[in-house]
Amino acid sequence: MTDLNSTLFNIKLNTGSPREGSLLVAEPFLKENCFNHAVILLIDYGKGDTSMGLVLNKGSKYNFSELFPAMEVDVPIYAGGPVGNDRLFYLHTLGDIIKESVEIAPGLWVGGDFDDVLEYLRAGYPTEGVIRFFLGYSGWQPGQLEEEISNDVWVVVNDYDAAEVLSDDEDTTWHRIVRGLGDKFRGWKYHPMDVSSN
């Protein structure tokens, strides 16, 4: 017989060590709106130093053409986190097509020459699974992220497909990654983002 309490509520399941390019997957009971069922990509990390990441799966009320009216492209802007909401970030799989971008995980780059980005968008090339834009970021003080990981707030994932993390939206991302974590995380799959929908 399955122990439902253990299956649904056991979250003492730490994995991996964080590094630049790691995904942080929120435990299912994290209630803070911007981090509820969040998947965060670490774009800057140093043990014992400040850390920075982008929430991959939280939409914002903006799209690209609202921020840049000269660009008639209907590309969503995501909410990267609660800090620096006047800063635009972008993740992509375009590599050297966007000069000066930095590879932070296999097949995944951050930043780069914004004129190259605009040229890519003007040409009408695909954006889904290729490039994603964010306003704001998530930040941690020295030692804060390590403490949260040790308290099982986040599960660290270092093996993932770059295009997939730029393809899904909202809760789909969290559930897909949790499914990939294996059987010991199966109880997490039963926790919806909005518990009132149960």
Side-chain angles (χ1 to χ4, degrees):
M1 175 179 258
T2 302
D3 178 357
L4 284 179
N5 190 49
S6 174
T7 299
L8 294 176
F9 301 106
N10 181 10
I11 58 170
K12 294 284 185 187
L13 298 165
N14 273 337
T15 60
S17 296
R19 63 181 186 232
E20 190 176 274
S22 292
L23 296 181
L24 303 177
V25 182
E27 58 92 353
F29 302 109
L30 194 56
K31 298 301 180 214
E32 252 182 288
N33 189 45
C34 59
F35 298 127
N36 178 258
H37 279 205
V39 177
I40 297 177
L41 176 77
L42 282 178
I43 60 173
D44 189 23
Y45 176 78
K47 188 171 184 178
D49 202 349
T50 57
S51 300
M52 178 180 176
L54 298 172
V55 179
L56 297 173
N57 60 326
K58 299 288 179 178
S60 79
K61 60 183 179 178
Y62 301 105
N63 67 40
F64 199 86
S65 60
E66 288 175 302
L67 298 182
F68 302 95
M71 296 289 296
E72 295 182 6
V73 290
D74 187 23
V75 177
I77 304 287
Y78 286 78
V83 184
N85 288 314
D86 58 345
R87 293 183 61 188
L88 183 72
F89 299 88
Y90 37 98
L91 297 170
H92 57 86
T93 61
L94 297 168
D96 293 338
I97 293 172
I98 308 297
K99 294 185 296 290
E100 300 172 17
S101 58
V102 176
E103 189 173 24
I104 56 171
L108 189 60
W109 284 260
V110 63
D113 188 302
F114 193 57
D115 287 334
D116 288 345
V117 172
L118 296 179
E119 185 177 332
Y120 182 88
L121 295 176
R122 283 191 193 104
Y125 291 120
T127 57
E128 183 67 21
V130 177
I131 189 165
R132 182 168 285 190
F133 298 92
F134 306 85
L135 277 179
Y137 65 93
S138 304
W140 293 266
Q141 295 302 314
Q144 181 184 0
L145 179 57
E146 290 86 354
E147 182 179 352
E148 290 180 6
I149 291 169
S150 72
N151 289 327
D152 302 304
V153 174
W154 307 102
V155 167
V156 179
V157 176
N158 289 314
D159 184 22
Y160 58 90
D161 180 272
E164 282 189 351
V165 299
L166 298 182
S167 295
D168 295 334
D169 60 1
E170 300 292 329
D171 210 26
T172 308
T173 302
W174 187 89
H175 277 97
R176 181 183 53 74
I177 292 174
V178 166
R179 282 194 303 273
L181 292 175
D183 285 346
K184 67 179 180 176
F185 288 86
R186 71 187 184 280
W188 282 28
K189 295 183 286 188
Y190 304 113
H191 298 279
M193 181 183 290
D194 179 4
V195 294
S196 67
S197 66
N198 260 359

